[in-house]
Coordinates of all heavy atoms in Angstrom, one line a residue:
C1 N -78.1 223.2 -45.2 CA -78.8 222.1 -45.6 C -78.3 220.8 -45.0 O -79.0 219.8 -44.8 CB -78.8 221.9 -47.1 SG -79.8 223.2 -47.9
G2 N -77.0 220.8 -44.6 CA -76.4 219.5 -44.1 C -76.5 218.3 -45.0 O -76.4 218.5 -46.2
E3 N -76.9 217.2 -44.4 CA -76.9 216.0 -45.2 C -78.1 216.0 -46.3 O -78.1 215.2 -47.2 CB -77.1 214.8 -44.3 CG -78.5 214.8 -43.5 CD -78.6 213.6 -42.6 OE1 -78.8 212.4 -43.2 OE2 -78.5 213.8 -41.5
Y4 N -79.0 216.9 -46.1 CA -80.2 216.9 -47.0 C -79.9 217.7 -48.3 O -80.8 217.8 -49.2 CB -81.4 217.5 -46.3 CG -81.8 216.7 -45.1 CD1 -81.8 217.2 -43.8 CD2 -82.3 215.4 -45.3 CE1 -82.1 216.4 -42.8 CE2 -82.7 214.6 -44.2 CZ -82.6 215.1 -42.9 OH -83.0 214.4 -41.8
F5 N -78.8 218.4 -48.4 CA -78.4 219.2 -49.6 C -78.4 218.3 -50.8 O -77.7 217.3 -50.8 CB -77.2 220.0 -49.4 CG -76.8 220.7 -50.7 CD1 -77.4 221.9 -51.0 CD2 -75.9 220.2 -51.5 CE1 -77.1 222.5 -52.1 CE2 -75.5 220.9 -52.7 CZ -76.2 222.1 -53.0
E6 N -79.0 218.7 -51.9 CA -78.9 218.0 -53.2 C -78.5 219.0 -54.3 O -77.5 218.7 -55.0 CB -80.2 217.3 -53.7 CG -79.9 216.6 -55.0 CD -81.1 215.7 -55.3 OE1 -81.2 214.6 -54.7 OE2 -81.9 216.1 -56.2
Q7 N -79.1 220.2 -54.3 CA -78.7 221.1 -55.4 C -79.2 222.6 -55.0 O -80.1 222.7 -54.3 CB -79.5 220.7 -56.7 CG -79.1 221.6 -57.8 CD -79.9 221.2 -59.1 OE1 -80.7 220.3 -59.1 NE2 -79.5 221.8 -60.2
I8 N -78.4 223.5 -55.4 CA -78.8 224.9 -55.4 C -78.7 225.5 -56.7 O -77.7 225.1 -57.5 CB -78.0 225.7 -54.3 CG1 -78.5 227.1 -54.1 CG2 -76.4 225.7 -54.7 CD1 -78.0 227.8 -52.9
E9 N -79.6 226.3 -57.1 CA -79.6 226.9 -58.4 C -79.9 228.4 -58.3 O -80.9 228.8 -57.7 CB -80.7 226.3 -59.3 CG -80.7 226.7 -60.7 CD -81.6 225.9 -61.6 OE1 -82.2 224.9 -61.2 OE2 -81.9 226.5 -62.7
Y10 N -79.0 229.2 -58.9 CA -79.2 230.6 -59.0 C -80.3 230.9 -59.9 O -80.3 230.3 -61.0 CB -77.9 231.3 -59.4 CG -78.0 232.7 -59.8 CD1 -78.0 233.7 -58.9 CD2 -78.2 233.1 -61.1 CE1 -78.2 235.0 -59.2 CE2 -78.3 234.4 -61.5 CZ -78.3 235.4 -60.6 OH -78.4 236.7 -60.9
R11 N -81.2 231.8 -59.6 CA -82.3 232.1 -60.5 C -82.1 233.5 -61.1 O -82.2 233.7 -62.3 CB -83.7 232.1 -59.8 CG -84.1 230.7 -59.4 CD -84.4 229.9 -60.5 NE -84.8 228.5 -60.1 CZ -85.2 227.6 -61.0 NH1 -85.0 227.7 -62.2 NH2 -85.5 226.4 -60.5
E12 N -82.0 234.5 -60.2 CA -81.8 235.8 -60.8 C -81.5 236.8 -59.7 O -81.6 236.6 -58.5 CB -83.1 236.4 -61.5 CG -84.2 236.7 -60.5 CD -85.4 237.3 -61.2 OE1 -85.2 238.2 -62.2 OE2 -86.5 237.0 -60.9
T13 N -80.9 238.0 -60.1 CA -80.6 239.1 -59.2 C -81.6 240.2 -59.7 O -81.7 240.5 -60.9 CB -79.2 239.5 -59.3 OG1 -78.3 238.5 -58.9 CG2 -78.9 240.8 -58.4
Y14 N -82.2 240.9 -58.7 CA -83.2 241.9 -59.1 C -82.9 243.1 -58.2 O -82.7 243.0 -57.0 CB -84.6 241.4 -58.8 CG -85.7 242.4 -59.0 CD1 -86.1 242.7 -60.3 CD2 -86.3 243.0 -58.0 CE1 -87.1 243.7 -60.6 CE2 -87.3 244.0 -58.2 CZ -87.7 244.3 -59.5 OH -88.7 245.2 -59.7
R15 N -82.9 244.3 -58.8 CA -82.7 245.6 -58.0 C -83.8 246.5 -58.2 O -84.3 246.7 -59.4 CB -81.3 246.2 -58.5 CG -80.2 245.4 -58.1 CD -78.9 246.0 -58.8 NE -77.7 245.2 -58.3 CZ -77.2 244.2 -59.0 NH1 -77.9 243.7 -60.0 NH2 -76.2 243.5 -58.5
D16 N -84.4 247.0 -57.1 CA -85.4 248.0 -57.1 C -85.2 248.9 -55.9 O -85.7 248.7 -54.9 CB -86.8 247.3 -57.1 CG -87.9 248.3 -57.2 OD1 -87.7 249.5 -57.1 OD2 -89.1 247.8 -57.4
P17 N -84.4 249.9 -56.1 CA -84.1 250.8 -55.0 C -85.3 251.5 -54.4 O -85.3 251.8 -53.2 CB -83.2 251.9 -55.6 CG -82.7 251.3 -57.0 CD -83.7 250.3 -57.4
Q18 N -86.3 251.7 -55.2 CA -87.5 252.3 -54.6 C -88.2 251.5 -53.6 O -88.7 251.9 -52.6 CB -88.5 252.7 -55.7 CG -88.0 253.9 -56.6 CD -88.9 254.3 -57.7 OE1 -89.7 253.5 -58.1 NE2 -88.7 255.5 -58.2
R19 N -88.2 250.2 -53.9 CA -88.9 249.2 -53.0 C -88.0 248.7 -51.8 O -88.4 248.4 -50.7 CB -89.5 248.0 -53.8 CG -90.7 248.5 -54.6 CD -91.2 247.4 -55.4 NE -91.9 246.4 -54.5 CZ -92.4 245.3 -54.9 NH1 -92.3 244.9 -56.2 NH2 -93.0 244.5 -54.1
D20 N -86.7 248.4 -52.2 CA -85.9 247.8 -51.3 C -84.8 248.6 -50.7 O -84.2 248.2 -49.7 CB -85.1 246.5 -52.0 CG -86.1 245.6 -52.6 OD1 -87.2 245.4 -52.1 OD2 -85.8 245.1 -53.8
G21 N -84.6 249.8 -51.2 CA -83.7 250.7 -50.6 C -82.3 250.7 -51.5 O -82.1 249.8 -52.2
A22 N -81.7 251.8 -51.4 CA -80.4 252.0 -52.2 C -79.4 251.0 -51.6 O -79.3 250.7 -50.4 CB -79.9 253.4 -52.1
G23 N -78.6 250.4 -52.6 CA -77.6 249.5 -52.1 C -78.0 248.2 -51.7 O -77.3 247.4 -51.1
R24 N -79.3 247.8 -52.2 CA -79.9 246.6 -51.8 C -80.2 245.8 -53.1 O -80.5 246.4 -54.1 CB -81.1 246.7 -50.9 CG -81.0 247.5 -49.7 CD -80.4 246.8 -48.5 NE -81.4 245.9 -48.0 CZ -81.2 244.9 -47.1 NH1 -80.0 244.7 -46.7 NH2 -82.2 244.2 -46.6
K25 N -80.2 244.5 -53.0 CA -80.7 243.7 -54.2 C -81.3 242.4 -53.7 O -81.3 242.1 -52.5 CB -79.4 243.3 -55.0 CG -78.4 242.4 -54.3 CD -77.2 242.1 -55.1 CE -76.1 241.4 -54.3 NZ -74.9 241.2 -55.1
R26 N -82.1 241.8 -54.6 CA -82.7 240.5 -54.3 C -82.0 239.4 -55.0 O -81.6 239.5 -56.1 CB -84.2 240.5 -54.8 CG -85.0 241.6 -54.1 CD -86.4 241.6 -54.7 NE -87.1 242.8 -54.3 CZ -88.4 242.9 -54.4 NH1 -89.1 242.0 -54.9 NH2 -88.9 244.1 -54.1
L27 N -81.7 238.3 -54.3 CA -81.1 237.1 -54.9 C -82.1 236.0 -54.8 O -82.5 235.6 -53.7 CB -79.8 236.7 -54.2 CG -78.6 237.7 -54.4 CD1 -77.5 237.3 -53.5 CD2 -78.3 237.7 -55.8
L28 N -82.6 235.6 -55.9 CA -83.6 234.4 -56.0 C -82.9 233.1 -56.2 O -82.0 233.1 -57.2 CB -84.7 234.7 -57.1 CG -85.7 233.6 -57.3 CD1 -86.5 233.3 -56.0 CD2 -86.6 234.0 -58.4
L29 N -83.2 232.1 -55.5 CA -82.5 230.8 -55.7 C -83.5 229.7 -55.4 O -84.6 229.9 -54.8 CB -81.3 230.7 -54.7 CG -81.7 230.7 -53.2 CD1 -81.8 229.3 -52.6 CD2 -80.5 231.5 -52.4
S30 N -83.1 228.5 -55.9 CA -83.9 227.4 -55.6 C -83.0 226.4 -55.0 O -81.8 226.2 -55.4 CB -84.4 226.7 -56.9 OG -85.4 227.5 -57.6
V31 N -83.5 225.7 -54.0 CA -82.7 224.7 -53.3 C -83.5 223.4 -53.2 O -84.7 223.4 -52.9 CB -82.2 225.2 -51.8 CG1 -83.4 225.4 -51.0 CG2 -81.3 224.1 -51.3
R32 N -82.8 222.3 -53.6 CA -83.4 221.0 -53.5 C -82.8 220.2 -52.4 O -81.6 220.0 -52.3 CB -83.3 220.3 -54.9 CG -84.1 219.0 -54.9 CD -84.3 218.4 -56.3 NE -83.1 218.2 -57.0 CZ -82.9 218.5 -58.3 NH1 -83.8 219.0 -59.0 NH2 -81.7 218.3 -58.8
L33 N -83.8 219.6 -51.6 CA -83.4 218.8 -50.5 C -83.8 217.4 -50.8 O -84.8 217.1 -51.4 CB -84.1 219.2 -49.2 CG -84.0 220.8 -48.9 CD1 -84.9 221.1 -47.7 CD2 -82.5 221.2 -48.6
R34 N -83.0 216.4 -50.3 CA -83.4 215.0 -50.4 C -82.6 214.2 -49.3 O -81.5 214.4 -49.1 CB -83.1 214.5 -51.8 CG -83.6 213.1 -52.0 CD -83.1 212.5 -53.4 NE -83.3 213.4 -54.5 CZ -84.2 213.2 -55.4 NH1 -85.1 212.3 -55.4 NH2 -84.3 214.1 -56.5
S35 N -83.3 213.3 -48.8 CA -82.6 212.3 -47.8 C -82.2 211.1 -48.7 O -82.8 210.6 -49.6 CB -83.6 211.9 -46.8 OG -83.0 210.9 -46.0
Q36 N -81.0 210.6 -48.3 CA -80.5 209.4 -48.9 C -81.0 208.1 -48.3 O -80.7 207.0 -48.8 CB -78.9 209.4 -48.9 CG -78.3 210.6 -49.7 CD -78.7 210.5 -51.2 OE1 -78.6 209.5 -51.8 NE2 -79.2 211.6 -51.7
H37 N -81.6 208.3 -47.1 CA -82.0 207.2 -46.3 C -83.5 207.0 -46.0 O -83.9 205.9 -45.7 CB -81.3 207.3 -44.9 CG -79.9 207.7 -45.0 ND1 -79.0 206.8 -45.4 CD2 -79.2 208.8 -44.7 CE1 -77.8 207.3 -45.4 NE2 -77.9 208.6 -45.0
E38 N -84.3 208.1 -46.3 CA -85.8 208.0 -46.0 C -86.4 209.1 -46.7 O -85.8 210.0 -47.2 CB -86.0 208.0 -44.5 CG -85.6 209.4 -43.9 CD -85.7 209.4 -42.5 OE1 -86.1 208.6 -41.8 OE2 -85.3 210.5 -41.9
T39 N -87.8 209.0 -46.8 CA -88.6 210.1 -47.3 C -88.6 211.2 -46.3 O -88.9 210.9 -45.1 CB -90.0 209.6 -47.6 OG1 -90.0 208.6 -48.7 CG2 -90.9 210.8 -48.1
M40 N -88.2 212.4 -46.7 CA -88.2 213.6 -45.8 C -89.7 213.9 -45.3 O -90.5 213.8 -46.2 CB -87.6 214.8 -46.4 CG -86.1 214.7 -46.5 SD -85.4 216.2 -47.1 CE -85.5 217.3 -45.7
T41 N -89.8 214.2 -44.2 CA -91.1 214.7 -43.7 C -91.3 216.2 -43.9 O -90.2 216.8 -44.1 CB -91.4 214.4 -42.2 OG1 -90.5 215.2 -41.4 CG2 -91.3 213.0 -41.9
G42 N -92.4 216.7 -44.0 CA -92.6 218.1 -44.1 C -92.0 218.9 -43.0 O -91.3 219.9 -43.2

């Protein structure tokens, strides 16, 4: 994220070996970006 990093939040860990394969997991997170100098463009 560099200079645009504001926050990261852990949401959940999910395991489904049938869909994702054995030994795999999903990590869901939210990341918030913000510029200190201007409105970020899309």
Side-chain angles (χ1 to χ4, degrees):
C1 292
E3 68 178 288
Y4 298 114
F5 176 79
E6 183 171 282
Q7 180 181 8
I8 186 169
E9 186 174 344
Y10 168 82
R11 294 292 183 183
E12 71 175 321
T13 300
Y14 177 78
R15 291 172 179 87
D16 185 346
Q18 291 180 338
R19 291 179 71 186
D20 302 327
R24 306 277 284 167
K25 64 184 175 186
R26 299 178 194 194
L27 291 174
L28 177 62
L29 62 96
S30 294
V31 62
R32 185 166 52 221
L33 310 173
R34 187 186 312 255
S35 173
Q36 298 299 311
H37 311 289
E38 63 187 356
T39 299
M40 287 185 75
T41 66

